[in-house]
Amino acid sequence: MTVNLAKGQQISLSKSDGGTLHVVRMGLGWQSAPRKGFLARLTAREIDLDASALLFANRQLVDVVFFQNLTSGDGSVHHTGDNLVGGSGQGGDDESILVDLPRVPAHVDQIVFTVNSFTGQTFAEVQNAFCRLVDETNGQELARHTLSGGGNHTAQIMAKVHRTAQGWQMAAIGVPATGRTFQDLMPTITAHL
């Protein structure tokens, strides 16, 4: 059963039978919002949203997985490839990042997932955007966070998975930010570690 996460809400990533998840997929989907007016439709560009996973150890960035670095140095996090146009929206994932939780090095305590508009369009031009966490072993969607509203921002700090004494947990962050790359988002990300 999927949990629809509201901003700030957390869920445990332990299975209901007491087991633990092994490989999870953070999926991102979006569509271009319909353009109003003839001229707006003629000049519309595709929207290139990019998903990134930033690995932190004790609030220090230690690795990044994104469209130019598809696999973390230790191999535990893998981006499946860049989608330049989106289009899934409510359906499947346009970009995915796989996390092999048991392989994540012990010193990494948080993985933050971000999305940014590399082409610079604002989220006012995006609709049906979401991120979701899926148990990769059986395809079951565990949690979904929907980006509501548009906005004059070009990025969003979506969610994070973090270690606790009870195991991994996911927290929906859902905070708008401005920037075309993950480097631009660092001040906003740091506030949520």
Side-chain angles (χ1 to χ4, degrees):
M1 176 168 75
T2 298
V3 176
N4 288 311
L5 293 178
K7 185 175 169 178
Q9 189 176 7
Q10 295 192 51
I11 63 163
S12 171
L13 298 186
S14 297
K15 292 184 174 185
S16 57
D17 64 4
T20 57
L21 293 172
H22 293 284
V23 179
V24 294
R25 174 172 29 102
M26 180 63 74
L28 169 68
W30 74 92
Q31 295 174 326
S32 295
R35 313 284 193 232
K36 295 183 177 148
F38 180 72
L39 186 57
R41 285 193 293 272
L42 283 179
T43 61
R45 296 182 298 157
E46 296 293 346
I47 296 177
D48 178 12
L49 295 185
D50 290 319
S52 301
L54 291 81
L55 289 71
F56 289 89
N58 198 25
R59 301 179 50 93
Q60 298 298 313
L61 183 64
V62 295
D63 206 346
V64 180
V65 174
F66 67 115
F67 70 93
Q68 290 182 329
N69 183 45
L70 295 177
T71 303
S72 61
D74 56 57
S76 66
V77 181
H78 176 73
H79 194 300
T80 59
D82 195 14
N83 181 322
L84 302 177
V85 298
S88 289
Q90 297 289 350
D93 303 327
D94 293 314
E95 290 196 13
S96 296
I97 298 174
L98 299 168
V99 181
D100 188 341
L101 293 170
R103 287 186 60 196
V104 174
H107 70 283
V108 173
D109 54 10
Q110 298 184 69
I111 303 171
V112 178
F113 297 94
T114 66
V115 58
N116 54 276
S117 173
F118 187 74
T119 46
Q121 292 107 322
T122 68
F123 275 72
E125 299 175 66
V126 176
Q127 71 177 10
N128 298 329
F130 65 86
C131 78
R132 67 190 191 126
L133 192 69
V134 176
D135 180 346
E136 196 64 10
T137 59
N138 62 17
Q140 179 184 2
E141 183 175 285
L142 304 169
R144 175 179 288 258
H145 177 61
T146 303
L147 282 72
S148 57
N152 201 22
H153 54 281
T154 58
Q156 184 133 1
I157 314 307
M158 296 292 292
K160 69 178 178 178
V161 292
H162 58 101
R163 292 184 199 263
T164 68
Q166 293 76 36
W168 288 97
Q169 290 197 343
M170 177 186 174
I173 299 173
V175 171
T178 301
R180 293 180 53 235
T181 66
F182 72 87
Q183 294 98 328
D184 299 334
L185 308 180
M186 287 305 293
T188 306
I189 293 168
T190 303
H192 296 280
L193 296 177

